[in-house]
Amino acid sequence: MSQEQNETPWAPPPPPETSIGNPMYPPNVLEAKAKEASDDARNALIMAVIGVFCFGFILGFLAFRKANNALDIIKQYEVAQDKYTLAMVAKVLGIIDIVGWAIGLVLRFAT
């Protein structure tokens, strides 16, 4: 053997970070909450977009609630970070639905 060989012992690299989310919760809870946040964000966006065209007050309110739920889950459990923007857009569109419906109602009765 040559003397140039490194004399430090070999240590394997640390395991990759596979856990996503808050380490206070078990992985099965994090997976379920990630799916719930993803579904809530998607459903909120669908309701908000449909609410722009019809049933603005009802669908806007439901979209706002679903988006808030998704955002709360994302913040608390630190999962589905890629759905944060989707949930925020749904929340804003839900607000626009409600405000647009209220303005339309006022204009309808004002004329």
Side-chain angles (χ1 to χ4, degrees):
M1 298 199 117
S2 72
Q3 301 255 343
E4 297 173 12
Q5 199 174 31
N6 192 356
E7 294 182 13
T8 60
W10 181 80
E17 285 286 328
T18 57
S19 65
I20 298 172
N22 194 332
M24 291 178 54
Y25 301 100
N28 59 342
V29 171
L30 294 175
E31 289 175 20
K33 290 297 180 178
K35 181 170 178 9
E36 182 181 353
S38 177
D39 291 345
D40 281 352
R42 185 192 68 229
N43 291 339
L45 185 64
I46 290 169
M47 285 188 274
V49 169
I50 293 173
V52 169
F53 301 107
C54 60
F55 309 114
F57 180 72
I58 297 167
L59 290 178
F61 179 72
L62 292 174
F64 182 82
R65 294 278 311 264
K66 285 271 191 196
N68 260 349
N69 187 39
L71 290 171
D72 289 344
I73 290 171
I74 290 169
K75 288 177 186 174
Q76 180 178 355
Y77 294 95
E78 299 172 5
V79 293
Q81 298 292 328
D82 57 330
K83 302 297 181 186
Y84 181 83
T85 305
L86 189 70
M88 190 59 74
V89 168
K91 184 176 180 177
V92 170
L93 277 176
I95 293 170
I96 290 171
D97 290 347
I98 295 168
V99 170
W101 178 83
I103 290 172
L105 189 65
V106 167
L107 290 176
R108 174 145 176 120
F109 287 114
T111 57

